[in-house]
Each structure stands twice: as C-alpha cells, then as structure tokens.
Amino acid sequence: MLPRCAFSVCHVLMLVLCLSAAEDFDWTKNDHGSFYYGTFPAGFSWGAGSSAYQTEGAWDKDGKGLSIWDVFSHKKGKIQQNETGDSSCEGYYKVKDDVSLMKELKLNHYRFSISWPRLLPTGIKSDHINEKGMQHYDQLIDHLLENKITPIVTLYHWDLPQVLQEKYGGWQNISMVNHFNEFANLCFERFGNRVKYWITFNNPWSVAVEGYETGEHAPGLKLRGTGAYRAAHHIIKAHAKVWHTYDTQWRAKQKGLVGISLSGDWGEPVDISNQKDIEAAERYVQFYLGWFATPIFHGDYPQVMKDFIGRKSVQQGLGTSRLPTFSPQEKSYIKGTCDFLGVGHFTTRYITQKNNPSSRSSSSYFSDRDLAELVDPRWPDPGSEWLYSVPWGFRRLLNFIKTQYGNPMIYVTENGVSEKMLCTELCDDWRIQYYKDYINEMLKAIKDGVNVKGYTAWSLLDKFEWDEGYSERFGLYYVDFRNKNKPRYPKASVQFYKRIISSNGFPNQREVENWRRKAVETCSSSNQLLAADPLTSHMEMVTEIVVPTVCTLSILLSAIFLMFLLRRRN
Ligand code: NOJ
C-alpha cells in the first residue's frame, strides 16, 4: 500500500494503451486483453480473509495483552477521526455468525490471523499463556472445520505485543526472532493438528516501511533510511526460523505447509522502449516484493537493492551499506524456506527513472529507488486513494513471480477494493467489476502456467482499515459500525462472488452478465432492509434513518441549486 508521502512524487499521466487478448504471456507486448471465459483447475480454493486487530474488537477482554496497534490507535492524531479497533466488528464474539456468512458464500477457505498478545499477553511464552485466548481460536478453527472450511492462519498481521516494543524496540531488535519463534511454536503445538496452512508474516513491507520508516503505522517510528531495512532483516530471519521449526519438529506429524504473505503492486515501465524506464520498473518490483521474496527463494537481497543502497550509502559517507547483510550460513538457512507463497495484490503503477539526491538528510527507502510513480487518470479509483483498478497488472505480477522464483505454489492471500462512502451503499457494482476483472486476469495467469492454487477475497467484512480508521470499506459484507451489535449486510458483490465460486470460474458471457444483473437487483432490497433494521437504541435508530435521508436531501438540494444557477445564466 502506497503511503501518502510517496504520492508527492507521483505525476498524473495520460497514456493510450492498446488492449488485446493473449493466450501465452509475452513481456514485450502490452496485452491488456479481453475477457477470457473458462474455469479454474479442479480443487481451486476460494476464500475470504480478515485479520485479528482489524475485526476482533475485545481489545482488553479475557486476559488479552496490549498490542502496538492498541497503543498507537489510542494516541490522538494517528488514525482518521481518532478511531480505534477497540470493538471493530466484535468478531471475537461472533464466530458462529461469521462462519454462517462464509457458508452462505460457499467458501473453501477462510484466512484469519492470531493475535499474539491474546495468547501471550507480554509476548513472551515463559511469562504467561492466556488460555481464554487459546479457547477463542480453538472454537473458531473447530467451527470452520465442522463447516468444511479450511483455515489459513496468519501468525503476524501487525499486532506485536506492546511489551516487546517497549522492552526491546520491536522489530528493530534481533531478539524478536526468538520470541516470535516461541509464539509460532506454541501455535503449531496447540492448533497444528487442525491447521495445515500457516502464514508467518502478512505484508512485511508495510510493517517495515510504514511502521519504522514513515511512521504512519504502529509503532509509528520514523527511522528514515535505516529503520525499514533493519526491521525487514529481522523479519526475514524470524520467518526462516519459524519455517525450520515447523520443518524439523512438526511437519512429519502434522503434514502442513508454511508460507509467507508478501504484498506487491505491479510496476509497468512508462515507456516500454526506454531501457531506463524498464530498469526503473523492475527496480520498483524488486524493492517491493523482491526485497522479501529474493532472500526466501534465492538466499540474499536482490542485486539491485544491494547496488543502489550500497552506492548511496558510500555517497553519504557511511562506512557500510544501510542495507544489512546476511552471512553465508544465514543465506543458506533462509534460502528455500517457503512451502507456498502468499500474494497480496491490489494495484499497479507506471514507473519512470528519476534520480534522487543522495544526501544523508534525504536518505530514505523511497529515495533509494531512484524512480517516480505515475498513474493513469482514467484508471478507476473508487475507494482508497492509492488503489486504482488495473487488472492486467495482476497477471503481469503473477508471471513475474513464476519466472523469478521458479514457479512456486501461490495462494492469493489478499485482493479486493474499498469504497469511501458517506451514504450507506450495498449495491457495489464497481466491486463486482473489480473482482470480475482481477479474477479473470488470475485465470489467464494460470493458463500462462502460473501455479496459483487459491484466491482470497479481501475482505469478508468491512473493518478497521489501519490509519484510515473505518473510512475505507473493503468488505463483501457491510458492517454497521454505528449499531453496537455491529450487524452485517451482504453487498451485491456477495452474490456475484458466490456465483464465481459455484461455477469455479466464468462459464460464458450470458451467464456472467446475468449474475451481475441479479446481484444488483437483490442489493436494492438489502439496502431497504438495512435502512429499516430495528435498532437497539433510539440514538442508533435516528442515525440509521437520518444518514441516508440527509444524503438524499443533499443531492436533491445541490441539483435544485445547480438548476437555479443555470436558469440565472440563461
Ligand atoms: C494489506 C493489509 O494486509 C490489510 O490488512 C489491509 O486491509 C489491506 N492491505 C488494504 O489496505
């Protein structure tokens, strides 16, 4: 996810592109092709996802310890409207309800994360194990399995125990490797008889860059030029250690898989005939996904990162590179520690070469890359500021992974789109379009030979969207956060995604268009249901009814005002 500061270097660009279909992937062509009707391989796994801090709520209940996000979100000015994840979707109390929603969607898998401080309040296993926290995840896993939904479990989706941040500096400190390994080992021991898919880290790029470089995320540190590289270095080591722990102690008995979930935007050269732009675009992807994937698949950082950060460090008068190094033993220990690769993907950028000054004061992850990011203003951007819908970038990223890392087994662990809506809106036609096109590009990638085994729509529910609070809604299900019961309502995309799942793809144009028409028809009745929902308190009832009415009224008033102005001009 692109932090706001990076947008300051983005120029808006108009680009006219040729769109055409292709069976085989050809890197030299700009094939942003037509729709491909067909089905996914048998056994393809369809899912939806969530994470603990974003959905659970119950931040201080049943013996849970504080996480860095609890503390960060309670500080004034860090989160939009000073919102917190204190209660969020109350997912902690709604296991059965939420599994029913998954059943309704006919999901094959559900991806969720375990809150480290809910199990280990101080983060340290020898201090105290919180059995109530254990029971919660036991219940969730059991309930999923009873309903034939495979759990895919993330061990770290950003909620580090606060004690570890305060005592050691969090991921700046190498001691996190052992603490995280202890926590992971406990999860393997207690849940591994039932959980067969483990993800060590979710999107470590964000942890490193937004947590320790820009400070937009917890723990909010701004250690520019060094903090992100150091955090990433320890995260990669922690991942490798946990993979080895599973491999040596649990694999034979539990027969599961351990992977990591990396996020990556695709970077397309602005001018595909310009070598400098081609190299800049490659650098963009290497500094993003490659930063983590290259050590894990090949044992060391991408050469281009070593070259660029090394050269800039010398120019800044530093004795060593700001990018840490792995010893030969560490390289061979880290290499190959991935049974499957989780991929989180949302958007694409055009990239062009741009030299940045190398002074010590301006050193940062962003300036190290020597590039500028651009967007096409015609790309749809219905929600988050950084999220433009560019489906063809997904196919390109998946093919890049195939060629760079030896065609690994891939699970798409996050893909989806948000909306920024003041008015309640369940008829999310643009989300249907996004899913339809992105899932279709994934299908084309599979035809290209990319080994994608599963897809996870992000996300099951609207939820706490980190520094954006509740202002950006990614859910298939709408959550009414103003009602203390946090009721869920299906958006139109639920109907559409459900059809993709039951057909295992896209049978033919007529049917797919029918799905879409029907989905949009049913959502208007859901909209009425939402507006008419009997609410628990008078206060809530007023907001529930008033908000849509105020929206409708403001639209009407603006229209009348416009007409009035036009008349006066004539
Ligand atoms: C990636 C993060 O893992 C997830 O938690 C977040 O909701 C999405 N990006 C959307 O920003």
Side-chain angles (χ1 to χ4, degrees):
M1 309 336 54
L2 196 69
R4 256 173 261 124
C5 67
F7 271 88
S8 59
V9 294
C10 289
H11 315 303
V12 171
L13 187 79
M14 291 294 286
L15 288 163
V16 181
L17 298 164
C18 305
L19 308 180
S20 66
E23 263 288 312
D24 291 319
F25 198 77
D26 181 347
W27 290 97
T28 62
K29 284 202 276 176
N30 253 333
D31 280 330
H32 307 156
S34 56
F35 203 82
Y36 178 86
Y37 289 93
T39 50
F40 283 81
F44 190 83
S45 189
W46 297 99
S50 72
S51 83
Y53 187 72
Q54 291 182 280
T55 53
E56 280 179 4
W59 71 296
D60 59 350
K61 296 290 183 305
D62 290 348
K64 175 182 165 292
L66 290 182
S67 80
I68 54 173
W69 272 96
D70 292 314
V71 173
F72 187 71
S73 66
H74 281 114
K75 286 186 185 151
K76 289 267 164 299
K78 300 293 181 192
I79 313 290
Q80 281 251 348
Q81 319 255 8
N82 291 318
E83 282 160 333
T84 71
D86 290 2
S87 58
S88 189
C89 310
E90 301 279 21
Y92 185 72
Y93 303 105
K94 288 180 174 277
V95 168
K96 293 212 160 145
D97 296 354
D98 288 344
V99 174
S100 305
L101 303 182
M102 297 171 213
K103 271 191 81 177
E104 165 64 25
L105 269 165
K106 301 209 162 43
L107 297 188
N108 306 114
H109 70 257
Y110 177 54
R111 177 186 176 218
F112 65 93
S113 79
I114 293 181
S115 156
W116 183 350
R118 199 179 285 291
L119 296 194
L120 303 177
T122 65
I124 299 168
K125 190 178 160 202
S126 55
D127 284 351
H128 172 61
I129 298 175
N130 179 29
E131 287 303 330
K132 285 225 163 139
M134 288 287 176
Q135 281 161 23
H136 167 71
Y137 296 110
D138 268 332
Q139 190 203 0
L140 172 57
I141 293 164
D142 289 344
H143 205 60
L144 287 170
L145 292 173
E146 280 158 23
N147 287 285
K148 302 196 168 37
I149 300 169
T150 304
I152 298 188
V153 180
T154 309
L155 292 165
Y156 190 83
H157 202 125
W158 307 358
D159 43 1
L160 185 79
Q162 174 67 11
V163 173
L164 296 181
Q165 187 65 43
E166 279 170 19
K167 259 196 178 168
Y168 304 105
W171 291 106
Q172 290 301 291
N173 194 305
I174 185 73
S175 67
M176 287 311 100
V177 174
N178 284 337
H179 293 308
F180 182 63
N181 185 55
E182 291 271 286
F183 161 63
N185 200 21
L186 174 68
C187 293
F188 298 152
E189 182 193 328
R190 296 290 197 90
F191 308 125
N193 56 343
R194 290 156 292 160
V195 173
K196 303 300 165 190
Y197 294 87
W198 294 100
I199 291 168
T200 54
F201 287 90
N202 172 71
N203 188 355
W205 183 93
S206 243
V207 177
V209 174
E210 293 172 302
Y212 294 89
E213 169 102 19
T214 67
E216 289 159 295
H217 281 187
L221 298 178
K222 295 181 180 155
L223 309 168
R224 292 193 196 273
T226 56
Y229 298 133
R230 205 176 154 79
H233 202 64
H234 297 147
I235 288 173
I236 293 165
K237 286 184 181 184
H239 160 81
K241 181 147 189 167
V242 166
W243 185 90
H244 281 286
T245 296
Y246 191 82
D247 200 47
T248 53
Q249 296 183 39
W250 302 103
R251 189 187 296 281
K253 205 158 110 202
Q254 297 184 346
K255 303 198 167 45
L257 302 173
V258 178
I260 187 167
S261 174
L262 302 181
S263 73
D265 296 350
W266 176 245
E268 183 76 4
V270 164
D271 176 357
I272 52 167
S273 63
N274 177 337
Q275 189 56 25
K276 285 211 175 332
D277 280 1
I278 293 172
E279 285 167 17
E282 159 105 21
R283 219 160 45 241
Y284 176 78
V285 181
Q286 294 293 3
F287 266 75
Y288 210 139
L289 185 117
W291 182 6
F292 300 90
T294 319
I296 289 168
F297 287 99
H298 300 309
D300 201 0
Y301 291 118
Q303 192 57 43
V304 74
M305 285 188 82
K306 295 199 281 186
D307 291 347
F308 271 63
I309 304 163
R311 183 168 41 78
K312 287 190 182 246
S313 302
V314 171
Q315 286 165 359
Q316 288 155 0
L318 300 169
T320 52
S321 174
R322 285 180 281 103
L323 183 71
T325 50
F326 295 117
S327 70
Q329 292 81 354
E330 286 170 343
K331 286 181 193 172
S332 54
Y333 184 75
I334 293 165
K335 184 176 172 176
T337 54
C338 205
D339 303 324
F340 66 92
L341 180 65
V343 175
H345 175 77
F346 293 87
T347 195
T348 282
R349 293 286 179 269
Y350 279 112
I351 305 295
T352 187
Q353 155 75 30
K354 177 177 172 280
N355 286 333
N356 288 317
S358 298
S359 70
R360 213 185 265 199
S361 59
S362 66
S363 96
S364 82
Y365 162 86
F366 293 102
S367 62
D368 282 340
R369 303 175 306 173
D370 276 350
L371 54 85
E373 301 176 35
L374 305 98
V375 293
D376 183 333
R378 291 166 310 169
W379 288 344
D381 60 336
S384 311
E385 168 176 39
W386 51 270
L387 207 173
Y388 294 81
S389 174
V390 194
W392 52 262
F394 193 20
R395 181 181 181 188
R396 292 195 158 235
L397 181 74
L398 290 170
N399 271 282
F400 175 90
I401 293 169
K402 174 186 165 219
T403 42
Q404 291 269 318
Y405 311 117
N407 204 9
M409 185 202 291
I410 293 176
Y411 278 82
V412 173
T413 41
E414 284 185 26
N415 177 242
V417 66
S418 55
E419 72 237 23
K420 240 185 196 137
M421 282 277 165
L422 290 175
C423 308
T424 305
E425 180 54 284
L426 300 177
C427 299
D428 55 347
D429 197 35
W430 68 93
R431 183 172 286 106
I432 290 181
Q433 187 70 38
Y434 181 99
Y435 276 131
K436 176 174 172 249
D437 293 342
Y438 270 76
I439 292 173
N440 198 248
E441 291 298 313
M442 175 175 68
L443 178 57
K444 290 179 194 169
I446 292 174
K447 302 277 168 219
D448 298 333
V450 183
N451 189 15
V452 187
K453 294 287 188 198
Y455 174 86
T456 314
W458 192 261
S459 47
L460 181 72
L461 305 175
D462 290 340
K463 59 194 169 352
F464 180 80
E465 185 51 35
W466 309 113
D467 52 324
E468 302 298 341
Y470 296 96
S471 65
E472 293 176 10
R473 294 173 172 271
F474 275 85
L476 288 160
Y477 285 88
Y478 178 93
V479 177
D480 186 356
F481 294 108
R482 293 161 306 175
N483 182 328
K484 72 176 185 313
N485 289 330
K486 312 293 168 81
R488 285 84 158 119
Y489 297 88
K491 299 181 191 173
S493 48
V494 164
Q495 294 309 322
F496 191 77
Y497 187 41
K498 195 171 142 180
R499 304 280 185 177
I500 297 179
I501 296 175
S502 51
S503 304
N504 198 29
F506 307 96
N508 59 60
Q509 189 172 1
R510 205 166 47 89
E511 263 197 67
V512 175
E513 261 150 34
N514 231 350
W515 297 347
R516 186 178 186 149
R517 201 172 34 75
K518 283 198 181 136
V520 176
E521 267 166 29
T522 47
C523 70
S524 27
S525 52
S526 305
N527 259 342
Q528 286 162 16
L529 210 95
L530 170 58
D533 187 38
L535 298 167
T536 45
S537 76
H538 177 69
M539 205 34 224
E540 281 151 2
M541 186 179 301
V542 171
T543 28
E544 199 62 59
I545 294 162
V546 162
V547 169
T549 316
V550 167
C551 292
T552 320
L553 266 179
S554 22
I555 294 166
L556 266 175
L557 282 175
S558 320
I560 293 169
F561 184 62
L562 250 176
M563 276 168 60
F564 172 74
L565 279 183
L566 284 174
R567 283 228 174 126
R568 277 192 58 179
R569 281 180 99 199
N570 293 339

